Amino acid sequence: METIQLGFPPLTTAVFIGLALAALLLDMVTHQDDKPITLANASIWSIFWIAISLAFAGFLYFQHGSEVASLFVTGYTLEKVLSIDNLFVFMAIFAWFKVPDNLRHRVLYWGIIGAIVFRGIFVAIGTGLLAFGPWVEIVFALIVAWTAVMMLKGGEEDTDEDYSQHIAYRFAKKLFPVWPKLYGHNFFVKRDKLEAEVQKSENKGMSLPVKGALFATPLFLCLVVVEVSDILFAFDSVPAVIAVSREPLIVYSAMLFAILGLRTLYFVLEALKRYLVHLEKSVIVLLFFISAKLTLNATDHLFHHGISIQPNTSLLIVLTVLTIGILASVLFPEREDTQAVNQ
């Protein structure tokens, strides 16, 4: 575990917040309509988000040195790679809720806003827990290893999940009465508007409950399921990134810049998912590597064996494993008949 004492330097904190807010506002302004995001558009924006992240890494390099910049890039790359599995789950959620392509970026936008908030909470708790000693790192290592094992077993399980049984779906339905059809891009609809809707011929036989002034749409239920799913994923990804550094600013900035680019990355992956067939194997390998790194850090504190993995080595391993996964997908694509069986 790296023990760099960075803290929260005013200039670094200001640059981090300024870059993140400016990029987020730009994204909000340029994606206000409900048009589907094309692969070309998503690719350009994904490159933009990576460039913003590398710009912050460059700032860290000149302001705090190569080691801090390397820790940031390693954490950023890990979060980005680990998020790929989350995005595949989001694809399944959108398909179950029958969310049209032109509305998916709206759900992802608000989902990412929630992820930014909850990641901040988890990072504060996680880095705080490390103060209790190396046994906490061992617990984190077990969590990360367990995630890798579950991913290894995941291929044998049925991926057709009924999201009407999801705890987030049932909780949202208890809070709000639900209108069972999409209503534009709205998450909620007022009763007076729905009273006019039930009079239409295509809604014949539908009625409204006696109580309730505000009704949730399937789009809101989908958002809640996406948000809770992301929170559950955070229990795995936060310990993995904390394994890189226990400095809250490094950890949170790496995770936030990775999360900000997830919306456009989703549309890139949706178009390329049939080709990146071996990328999940790279994610599993990286999770085992991070678990081993955490275990080495903890046992070094306990037994002083002196074995550790340097930041530049971690970055090289992460990038190498990721590259191998991509190249393997290109060189050894899954056969069409195998894809048909898996779908």
Side-chain angles (χ1 to χ4, degrees):
M1 180 71 66
E2 307 308 324
T3 56
I4 293 174
Q5 299 298 313
L6 183 62
F8 294 92
L11 178 59
T12 304
T13 305
V15 170
F16 163 55
I17 294 174
L19 265 180
L21 287 179
L24 190 60
L25 289 173
L26 179 61
D27 189 26
M28 183 189 300
V29 170
T30 52
H31 293 100
Q32 288 183 321
D33 54 24
D34 292 331
K35 294 180 181 179
I37 297 179
T38 64
L39 174 59
N41 184 279
S43 300
I44 292 170
W45 272 95
S46 293
I47 294 171
F48 165 79
W49 286 114
I50 292 172
I52 290 292
S53 305
L54 292 178
F56 185 67
F59 170 80
L60 290 177
Y61 178 85
F62 288 108
Q63 192 72 17
H64 301 288
S66 60
E67 191 170 0
V68 171
S70 179
L71 290 172
F72 168 81
V73 174
T74 305
Y76 169 80
T77 306
L78 267 177
E79 176 66 19
K80 204 79 166 176
V81 172
L82 294 176
S83 297
I84 290 172
D85 234 41
N86 308 22
L87 296 180
F88 284 136
V89 171
F90 293 167
M91 290 177 197
I93 294 172
F94 286 141
W96 193 91
F97 280 95
K98 296 180 174 62
V99 178
D101 291 345
N102 62 314
L103 296 180
R104 294 184 178 189
H105 70 89
R106 177 172 169 80
V107 175
L108 288 169
Y109 179 82
W110 290 106
I112 286 169
I113 295 295
I116 291 172
V117 174
F118 285 110
R119 287 298 197 285
I121 295 171
F122 288 163
V123 168
I125 293 172
T127 53
L129 285 175
L130 290 174
F132 289 99
W135 292 109
V136 177
E137 294 180 61
I138 292 177
V139 172
F140 281 5
L142 292 174
I143 291 173
V144 175
W146 177 82
T147 303
V149 172
M150 289 300 102
M151 286 179 67
L152 277 174
K153 293 181 177 180
E156 304 170 2
E157 298 174 356
D158 183 9
T159 56
D160 295 329
E161 183 173 351
D162 181 3
Y163 287 98
S164 65
Q165 302 305 311
H166 197 288
I167 185 172
Y169 181 96
R170 289 183 285 147
F171 178 71
K173 288 194 71 172
K174 287 183 178 180
L175 289 179
F176 300 97
V178 176
W179 174 251
K181 297 177 66 176
L182 291 173
Y183 191 90
H185 68 197
N186 295 333
F187 293 121
F188 296 97
V189 190
K190 292 181 179 179
R191 171 179 282 275
D192 57 349
K193 293 183 178 180
L194 293 181
E195 287 174 345
E197 284 292 314
V198 297
Q199 303 302 320
K200 295 180 179 179
S201 57
E202 63 265 26
N203 296 325
K204 186 178 180 180
M206 296 178 65
S207 60
L208 298 175
V210 176
K211 295 183 179 180
L214 200 62
F215 290 74
T217 68
L219 206 62
F220 175 73
L221 298 179
C222 178
L223 173 62
V224 174
V225 174
V226 165
E227 198 68 75
V228 172
S229 299
D230 182 75
I231 291 172
L232 295 176
F233 279 121
F235 282 100
D236 304 325
S237 64
V238 170
V241 179
I242 288 177
V244 175
S245 172
R246 64 173 67 199
E247 268 300 316
L249 182 60
I250 294 176
V251 175
Y252 187 58
S253 61
M255 299 190 82
L256 185 137
F257 279 116
I259 289 169
L260 286 176
L262 286 189
R263 182 165 66 157
T264 51
L265 181 61
Y266 168 88
F267 295 99
V268 174
L269 285 177
E270 192 171 48
L272 300 179
K273 63 180 178 180
R274 67 174 59 189
Y275 305 109
L276 299 175
V277 292
H278 298 297
L279 196 56
E280 184 172 287
K281 297 180 180 67
S282 291
V283 175
I284 294 171
V285 171
L286 286 176
L287 286 173
F288 279 123
F289 163 69
I290 290 303
S291 179
K293 179 178 169 63
L294 277 166
T295 303
L296 282 175
N297 290 330
T299 54
D300 186 31
H301 281 96
L302 291 171
F303 306 114
H304 308 290
H305 52 61
I307 303 173
S308 62
I309 301 175
Q310 298 303 313
N312 290 336
T313 304
S314 294
L315 177 58
L316 181 61
I317 291 173
V318 169
L319 294 177
T320 300
V321 171
L322 179 58
T323 302
I324 290 173
I326 295 172
L327 289 176
S329 299
V330 173
L331 297 174
F332 307 103
E334 197 171 37
R335 291 184 350 184
E336 293 294 329
D337 54 345
T338 308
Q339 288 184 4
V341 171
N342 293 336
Q343 289 176 352

